[in-house]
Amino acid sequence: MSGNCSQLMVRVLSGSRCSMSTVVWSFVGFLLMLHLYSLFSHKDATSGEIQLQVTNHPSFRELVEVEEENIQIPPPRGKRSPRAAKRRPKRTTTLIDEFLDENSQLRHVFFPDMKTAIDPMKDNGNDSFYYYPGRIWLDTEGAPIQAHGGGILYDERSRTYYWYGEYKDGPTYHAHKKAAARVDIIGAGCYSSKDLWTWKNEGIVLAAEETNETHDLYKLNVLERPKVIYNENTGKYVMWMHIDDCNYTKAGVGVAISDYPTGPFDYLYSMRPHGFESRDMTLFKDDDGVAYLIYSSEDNSELHIGPLTPDYLDVSNVVRRILIGEHREAPALFKHQGTYYMITSGCTGWAPNEALVHAAESVMGPWETMGNPCIGGNKIFRQTTFFSQSTYVIPLPGLPGSYIFMADRWNPADLRDSRYVWLPLIVGGPADRPLEYNFGFPLWSRVSIYWHKKWKLPSRWTG
């Protein structure tokens, strides 16, 4: 094609009747063919990489199998709970209504009872090391794990995983009639593990303030989504969290530090980062050691992202507004082969909604939306992120392109009984949603979260 284009140019220059527009369109066609060749070459290379991973890890094939769900909505029986009735003014009952109805006949589907709890200390035989999304998950002492809205820190020195989250082991109530369901602050909990399945309770590493009503951590306030990263330069473990009052008007972040991953953490202060509201938030530490704060802002209509100071105790003066007007929250970031990916949820309170995955060549953006990453279950499962909300993504060393997607299945009627939905997340293969500004599909790979009622990591995985 390049040869024909050259001939056309020569003929034009020598007085040929070939118009300049023909030359231009021929050149555009050449660029388009070059782009498509580059694109498909990239896709083929990515597909080959994933196929190689599947070959090296036979049980990988189980993770990427599409598992369907067929849940039949039962006929109405008795009185529905006020929460579900309010959502259902003379219309057909949906699975979301059943999920929100604590009196639903399907309650056991979404929130199985203690009889089916995951107990790593029991002899589980062939069921050892299996994850069961939505089931009660017990720690090594036999108590349900309390680490909601959490995140994982892998400590290189001790080769141990630490899971931090909201300790919600208290009664659920409403601060006033129109308020969201809530639990008084008890603190941020911490659990440790060598295998990501057996978790030891390390206690509450940042406790509520019981008497001082002016303190950010006063028990009637809000502490959500604690995340911890380690600073190699200062030797400190640094925790950031969403800090709010009971009416969610403070909209700030809090910072705490510790010399040890198991605490105790010393609370430093709260602020509105960059002068903006901050609600759902997370931290991301890049390969070069630079850490970033990502938070929902402007009444949850957009996300903000910016680097922290070198000691991780404050934000720098650099900030970028992203996903403006898209109303996304619950961000969870990770990086794969130089590309940054982020999973977010919509803003529907405690009710589940559709996850979206976004990608960028730079952590500061621009970020492009790639679509819903959820695969399997059924349509409603995919549209509700398997009835859960994103909180973190765990990289798996030794399994390139493989991660664990961490999410919370919130139980608005009893928040302490909210469940954990951990599922395999795979990066690989061509993206399936074109970008508006591009000739076609993006060069980065597809992100897929596969639904499984029961799954475990490949046996050759090493933590």
Side-chain angles (χ1 to χ4, degrees):
M1 192 164 196
S2 57
N4 292 338
C5 188
S6 300
Q7 291 176 14
L8 283 170
M9 287 181 171
V10 170
R11 289 167 60 192
V12 168
L13 293 173
S14 59
S16 169
R17 289 178 296 177
C18 179
S19 68
M20 183 59 70
S21 62
T22 304
V23 176
V24 171
W25 281 112
S26 298
F27 187 63
V28 169
F30 168 73
L31 291 178
L32 179 59
M33 290 297 292
L34 188 63
H35 172 82
L36 291 175
Y37 173 77
S38 171
L39 176 62
F40 283 109
S41 297
H42 174 86
K43 289 180 179 179
D44 290 343
T46 305
S47 300
E49 175 192 335
I50 293 300
Q51 185 60 45
L52 181 61
Q53 292 173 2
V54 172
T55 303
N56 290 340
H57 303 281
S59 55
F60 225 48
R61 286 190 286 270
E62 297 178 15
L63 301 186
V64 299
E65 286 179 356
V66 177
E67 190 172 330
E68 299 295 340
E69 288 281 356
N70 183 19
I71 301 174
Q72 299 296 325
I73 298 178
R77 185 186 69 180
K79 190 176 180 183
R80 299 181 67 81
S81 68
R83 184 179 291 101
K86 190 180 291 184
R87 277 182 54 89
R88 194 176 63 88
K90 298 181 182 178
R91 64 177 175 81
T92 305
T93 302
T94 68
L95 272 182
I96 297 179
D97 295 317
E98 295 293 339
F99 173 81
L100 293 172
D101 181 9
E102 52 265 42
N103 300 320
S104 169
Q105 299 174 58
L106 295 178
R107 195 69 177 168
H108 66 284
V109 174
F110 302 112
F111 299 98
D113 61 23
M114 186 64 87
K115 294 176 184 176
T116 63
I118 306 168
D119 186 353
M121 303 310 292
K122 214 161 134 187
D123 182 5
N124 293 283
N126 293 333
D127 280 348
S128 292
F129 296 100
Y130 272 97
Y131 298 100
Y132 289 84
R135 288 193 185 183
I136 295 172
W137 195 350
L138 305 180
D139 62 23
T140 55
E141 298 173 0
I145 294 172
Q146 289 289 335
H148 311 284
I152 300 289
L153 166 75
Y154 180 69
D155 187 54
E156 300 276 356
R157 297 186 296 179
S158 61
R159 295 185 179 180
T160 302
Y161 291 94
Y162 292 94
W163 179 4
Y164 303 90
E166 305 160 32
Y167 206 92
K168 288 186 175 295
D169 197 16
T172 298
Y173 69 96
H174 292 74
H176 52 80
K177 281 187 178 181
K178 295 184 179 180
R182 57 162 293 139
V183 172
D184 282 345
I185 295 179
I186 297 173
C190 174
Y191 294 80
S192 63
S193 175
K194 296 287 188 180
D195 57 21
L196 292 174
W197 191 70
T198 307
W199 294 94
K200 176 188 175 184
N201 186 0
E202 300 288 353
I204 296 173
V205 295
L206 181 67
E209 170 58 47
E210 293 290 330
T211 57
N212 184 358
E213 297 183 14
T214 65
H215 199 284
D216 287 340
L217 300 182
Y218 179 59
K219 62 183 179 181
L220 296 185
N221 290 333
V222 170
L223 184 165
E224 293 177 339
R225 297 184 176 269
K227 302 292 186 291
V228 176
I229 51 178
Y230 178 69
N231 190 303
E232 283 81 4
N233 296 322
T234 64
K236 299 288 187 181
Y237 295 86
V238 185
M239 178 187 293
W240 286 64
M241 70 217 82
H242 170 207
I243 292 292
D244 228 315
D245 55 31
C246 64
N247 295 318
Y248 285 87
T249 59
K250 185 179 180 69
V253 291
V255 184
I257 60 171
S258 176
D259 292 325
Y260 308 98
T262 53
F265 280 78
D266 295 321
Y267 187 78
L268 300 182
Y269 69 105
S270 67
M271 63 173 167
R272 279 192 168 182
H274 311 105
F276 292 103
E277 293 179 344
S278 174
R279 291 187 171 87
D280 277 10
M281 48 68 61
T282 194
L283 297 177
F284 173 75
K285 183 178 175 182
D286 210 343
D287 304 329
D288 58 4
V290 178
Y292 297 82
L293 173 69
I294 305 94
Y295 57 95
S296 296
S297 194
E298 300 296 283
D299 202 23
N300 286 351
S301 65
E302 61 192 42
L303 293 179
H304 293 179
I305 183 168
L308 302 183
T309 53
D311 59 8
Y312 300 169
L313 300 183
D314 200 353
V315 292
S316 69
N317 58 4
V318 178
V319 63
R320 178 72 58 85
R321 300 168 62 204
I322 62 174
L323 305 184
I324 297 172
E326 295 192 27
H327 296 274
R328 308 303 295 175
E329 63 180 12
L333 270 75
F334 64 101
K335 185 179 183 181
H336 176 69
Q337 294 186 347
T339 298
Y340 299 88
Y341 295 95
M342 175 169 59
I343 296 172
T344 64
S345 86
C347 302
T348 54
W350 296 116
N353 58 62
E354 182 181 39
L356 291 177
V357 61
H358 318 270
E361 297 303 315
S362 164
V363 69
M364 294 294 285
W367 287 83
E368 297 293 340
T369 300
M370 296 173 63
N372 187 339
C374 299
I375 293 177
N378 57 38
K379 184 178 179 181
I380 295 297
F381 267 56
R382 293 187 291 274
Q383 290 177 343
T384 58
T385 318
F386 313 117
F387 292 91
S388 68
Q389 185 183 41
S390 53
T391 186
Y392 201 76
V393 175
I394 311 171
L396 293 174
L399 290 178
S402 306
Y403 303 80
I404 294 178
F405 171 68
M406 287 175 59
D408 295 281
R409 179 172 290 175
W410 298 113
N411 182 352
D414 186 7
L415 287 170
R416 68 177 147 191
D417 191 40
S418 298
R419 308 299 175 84
Y420 311 106
V421 174
W422 288 27
L423 291 167
L425 182 153
I426 309 297
V427 182
D432 59 2
R433 177 173 172 173
L435 300 179
E436 293 180 1
Y437 72 87
N438 209 334
F439 283 120
F441 292 86
L443 292 179
W444 43 71
S445 300
R446 175 179 169 80
V447 174
S448 303
I449 303 169
Y450 290 88
W451 168 253
H452 294 278
K453 294 179 183 177
K454 167 185 174 182
W455 70 282
K456 70 176 179 178
L457 293 169
S459 56
R460 292 178 60 183
W461 175 76
T462 53

